[in-house]
Amino acid sequence: MIEKLKEIKEKALVEIQNISDKKSLNEIKVKYLGKQGELTAILRGMRDVSPEDRPKVGALVNEVRSEIESRIEEKENRFDEEELANSLASEKIDITEPSKFISKGAVHAVPMITDKLIDICVDMGFTVVDGPEVETDYYNFEAMNIPKNHPSRDMQDSFYITDNILLRTQTSAVQSRELETRKPPFKIISPGKTYRNDSDSTHSPVFHQCEGLVVDENVSMADLKIMLSEMMRRLYGEGTKVRFRPSFFPFTEPSIEVDVSCPNCKGEGCKTCKGTGFLEILGAGVVNPKVLDIAGIDSKKFTGFAFGMGIERTSMVLNAIPDLRTMYKNDVRFLSQLK
Ligand code: DAH
């Protein structure tokens, strides 16, 4: 038995010595030390050893076992170290290499201008309201005093769903709804999507507007002009000049159009403003008494003013963007430059 043990030890140590990978080392471990292993078999045979030889043989079994174990462990540690060294060498990180550019994204022009407008108007005491984008002919046109033969009713301009239902062509539709449900005095704005059958460098079939409406006693054109001037200065920056021109809208009387001094050339005249120094920016006016009457508001007691502006148009003017469509391409490099 002693001979056998010595033989096992010699054989095991040579095998361990020659092993070159972790998997084979594991196999050796099982072969000698496992449940079915050669050393375990010897231990089982101890019962056949004479009692006086047992301590000697027992001690030798233990010695051989721990020798094999410690050699295996040594080899295991060596393999682990080699593995670590290899992975450190192959996965080397060069901390001096320039980092990859990670794009942070940018706020889109539409929510950016909308948020600015909301901030300005809420500061002035306006309440923000919402209205449906799929609207009835009544609220979009009829209640806004737009008669049946008005050009904006033409099927080519509007997306009709049925004879009486269409995608709203203007946020002014919210005016009709609010006039019908609210009791004056009130001040509301309503930003949102609008739709027209129009598509070129300055028109998109889907675009955004913001409507504003104030109804109270003794509200006048003077109030409208003061409020819009302040609003434009806050939106376009201190020093912005504001110009009012007479215009026509069926729902306001009198009606005006508002220009601001070109932010690109500060009113000097450039390509963006076609040399005029000014850019048209919104429509507004004193609410036509007919619109108040249709909604059931006493037009002898109450007056109002209203305005409507394009959100994309505002951003185009503010940033001198020549083509509206670049706004919808969602190129972060472009969007992150906008103010
Ligand atoms: N709804 C008009 C448009 O889409 C803009 C407008 C003009 C709105 C005058 C108004 C207003 O509230 O008073 O062109």
Side-chain angles (χ1 to χ4, degrees), residues 19 85 98 126 144 148 175 204 220-221 255 269 302 325 328:
I19 257 163
F126 284 82
M144 290 307 286
K148 285 269 188 251
Q175 274 198 46
S204 154
S220 71
M221 178 63 93
S255 304
F302 294 105
R325 290 165 291 199
Y328 300 131

Side-chain angles (χ1 to χ4, degrees), residues 170 172 175 196 209 211-212 249 251-252 283-285 306-308:
Q170 48 180 0
S172 301
Q175 274 198 46
R196 281 181 210 178
Q209 287 189 330
E211 196 74 13
F249 299 103
F251 33 89
T252 41
F307 58 89

Side-chain angles (χ1 to χ4, degrees), residues 144 146 169-173 175 194 196 207 209-213 224 248-249 251-252 254-257 282-287 305-310:
M144 290 307 286
I146 303 176
T169 60
Q170 48 180 0
T171 44
S172 301
Q175 274 198 46
T194 40
R196 281 181 210 178
F207 61 109
Q209 287 189 330
C210 183
E211 196 74 13
L213 173 67
L224 171 63
F248 172 80
F249 299 103
F251 33 89
T252 41
S255 304
I256 53 170
E257 260 169 305
L282 62 85
V286 172
V287 178
F305 64 73
F307 58 89
M309 67 177 94

Side-chain angles (χ1 to χ4, degrees), residues 12 15-17 24 28 45 68 85 87-88 99 145 152 161 169 183 200 234 256 261 272 274 294 300 313:
E15 278 179 31
I16 294 168
Q17 183 70 30
S24 321
I28 294 283
I68 295 176
S87 69
L88 282 178
S99 64
N145 192 39
S152 64
I161 292 166
T169 60
K183 293 249 166 303
D200 57 37
R234 291 206 202 172
I256 53 170
S261 49
T272 307
K274 297 193 181 88
I294 292 171
K300 296 207 170 50
R313 167 101 189 127

